[in-house]
Amino acid sequence: MTYRIALNFEDGVTRFIDCKEDEKVLDAAFRNRINLPMDCSDGVCGTCKCRAESGSYELGDDYIDDALTEDEKDDGLVLTCQMVPTSDCVVAVPVASAMCKTGQSGFTATVAKIAPHNDAAIVLDLEVEGDAPAFLPGQYVNIGVPGSGQHRSYSFSSVSGASTLSFLIKRVPGGLMSGWLDRATPGTQIELTGPLGSFYLRQVQRPLLMLAGGTGLAPFLSMLETLAQAGSTQPVHLIYGVTRDLDLVLVDQVEAFVARLPNFSYCTVVADEASCHPRKGWVTQHMSPEALNAGDVDVYLCGPPPMVDAVRRHFDAIGVQPANFHYEKFTPSQPAQDRAA
Ligand SMILES: Cc1cc2nc3c(=O)[nH]c(=O)nc-3n(C[C@H](O)[C@H](O)[C@H](O)COP(=O)(O)OP(=O)(O)OC[C@H]3O[C@@H](n4cnc5c(N)ncnc54)[C@H](O)[C@@H]3O)c2cc1C
Ligand code: FES
């Protein structure tokens, strides 16, 4: 029996390792050539302290309170030199991957399908050669734009372990990746690095409120599929906001989760004043008190940077602070000359 442990480093790099039964995470990482922070390796110094984001494990009682207090343990902190997983786990490591002598991994994939949705978005499917990459639902990968020496970041909309990777990509007029996708043909090879990011679905312990802005829907498709496959019964409400009517893409995929996730609901919102959509405005105008559950809710938000700021301001204004607020900003890439300046 082995367990899959996702080590999520401070710089967003994620490495997956297999941990044998009764093996400590620190030892499993070392076996996989990842040098997690450590000193005594004996539960005394506390140097190996990390946060277990999800999964079950045992810590035993061979460590001292100076290394890990009872409160820290209750708060989800662990000593990796003592931690023996009893399920798959996600462990947040509070240092950069390079400090642990590891880093991003790269892989090659082939364009399988490019499906445009009006002039709003493109669904890109890539077929992976060899082992399908593991990632946490919500994470992203850097995709090289062939022939340009540049890459762009895209959130997986598919689930970990599938050989077909799916992405939902906004069509940006004059955009490097958007332009390449207009010309690309199935069969083209493409380079990827990742998985990356700290925006991923944590252990579900309370109702979830998901806020998607435009193609920010992508990571939620991955999260919802993961929840459906796990048979989750926690309430999940998704608010999917877009600028124009034609930006509302893949609503049929969202709708399909209503039948598969027992407590899933969603609504769509269009900002365009000229739209005939039944719900207009911003996602903040359509957050019901039920969805906010008096703050006992984990909020996940993915979209353009101004949306993140607007939602933060909204929580302050209504005096409701969610138990957890995780977000991903789809920050546009800087042109190469600006990066150099
Ligand atoms: C962590 C992360 C995850 C991301 N995931 C996704 C995803 O799943 N789906 C997705 O569609 N995008 C995603 N993005 C954004 C994506 O990486 C690119 O920035 C975007 O696709 C534009 O790339 P491009 O090469 O077509 O345009 P570029 O050549 O980068 O940009 C061309 C011009 O358009 C401007 N521009 C760029 N993006 C936008 C925009 N959204 N709206 C208006 N103007 C813009 C640029 O400033 C520039 O002037 C993500 C970004 C980050 C940081
Ligand atoms: S390495 Fe010292 S407590 Fe774990």
Side-chain angles (χ1 to χ4, degrees):
M1 184 81 185
T2 58
Y3 299 111
R4 199 115 236 249
I5 311 300
L7 300 172
N8 186 250
F9 296 90
E10 196 183 38
D11 54 351
V13 169
T14 302
R15 297 300 307 265
F16 286 78
I17 58 167
D18 285 329
C19 192
K20 296 180 198 159
E21 197 153 18
D22 295 330
E23 190 175 29
K24 291 170 178 159
V25 170
L26 184 71
D27 299 335
F30 190 67
R31 197 167 43 74
N32 284 273
R33 299 197 168 81
I34 298 173
N35 296 350
L36 289 180
M38 59 83 77
D39 190 356
C40 68
S41 170
D42 214 17
V44 175
C45 67
T47 310
C48 65
K49 201 177 292 171
C50 291
R51 179 175 294 282
E53 300 268 16
S54 67
S56 59
Y57 50 86
E58 281 164 10
L59 289 174
D61 45 22
D62 288 342
Y63 63 90
I64 63 168
D65 199 57
D66 278 356
L68 185 75
T69 65
E70 205 59 27
D71 284 351
E72 288 176 322
K73 182 183 160 195
D74 292 347
D75 195 32
L77 295 180
V78 292
L79 300 174
T80 57
C81 73
Q82 304 298 308
M83 177 185 181
V84 177
T86 52
S87 77
D88 293 349
C89 292
V90 178
V91 177
V93 183
V95 297
S97 55
M99 287 185 66
C100 302
K101 298 211 172 11
T102 186
Q104 295 184 25
S105 39
F107 55 99
T108 304
T110 305
V111 174
K113 196 174 85 179
I114 301 169
H117 287 254
N118 317 311
D119 71 347
I122 294 167
V123 169
L124 171 67
D125 284 353
L126 301 177
E127 208 60 41
V128 183
E129 294 164 15
D131 291 342
F135 56 87
L136 302 170
Q139 286 196 303
Y140 70 94
V141 69
N142 286 332
I143 303 183
V145 187
S148 73
Q150 293 193 46
H151 67 257
R152 296 289 184 265
S153 310
Y154 295 103
S155 307
F156 295 96
S157 60
S158 48
V159 286
S160 178
S163 63
T164 303
L165 309 177
S166 292
F167 302 92
L168 177 61
I169 299 180
K170 179 181 160 123
R171 288 187 108 137
V172 175
L176 182 72
M177 179 60 99
S178 302
W180 183 79
L181 285 169
D182 281 340
R183 303 185 301 274
T185 47
T188 308
Q189 281 206 332
I190 204 160
E191 299 299 323
L192 300 93
T193 46
L196 292 157
S198 51
F199 181 72
Y200 52 82
L201 186 66
R202 308 309 204 268
Q203 195 138 318
V204 183
Q205 294 167 323
R206 54 179 66 80
L208 304 181
L209 174 60
M210 300 177 165
L211 306 172
T215 51
L217 178 69
F220 295 117
L221 294 175
S222 180
M223 291 186 190
L224 290 168
E225 181 61 36
T226 305
L227 290 170
Q229 289 182 9
S232 172
T233 54
Q234 276 283 2
V236 182
H237 185 64
L238 166 74
I239 308 179
Y240 176 18
V242 296
T243 308
R244 311 163 298 174
D245 290 314
L246 57 75
D247 295 323
L248 271 182
V249 299
L250 304 190
V251 179
D252 51 336
Q253 282 194 28
V254 176
E255 173 67 29
F257 287 111
V258 174
R260 296 181 58 212
L261 270 168
N263 287 312
F264 173 65
S265 58
Y266 77 98
C267 72
T268 51
V269 182
V270 177
D272 184 1
E273 299 230 322
S275 164
C276 297
H277 197 76
R279 284 166 304 278
K280 298 223 308 230
W282 308 105
V283 294
T284 45
Q285 294 165 263
H286 299 274
M287 269 184 223
S288 64
E290 297 78 51
L292 285 169
N293 200 30
D296 188 23
V297 63
D298 287 344
V299 176
Y300 289 81
L301 185 161
C302 183
M307 181 179 170
V308 177
D309 301 333
V311 169
R312 264 193 203 292
R313 283 198 302 275
H314 180 71
F315 287 146
D316 288 342
I318 62 171
V320 174
Q321 290 307 328
N324 290 292
F325 182 30
H326 307 283
Y327 58 83
E328 183 81 280
K329 292 181 178 179
F330 277 4
T331 315
S333 314
Q334 297 295 308
Q337 63 269 31
D338 288 5
R339 276 205 304 266

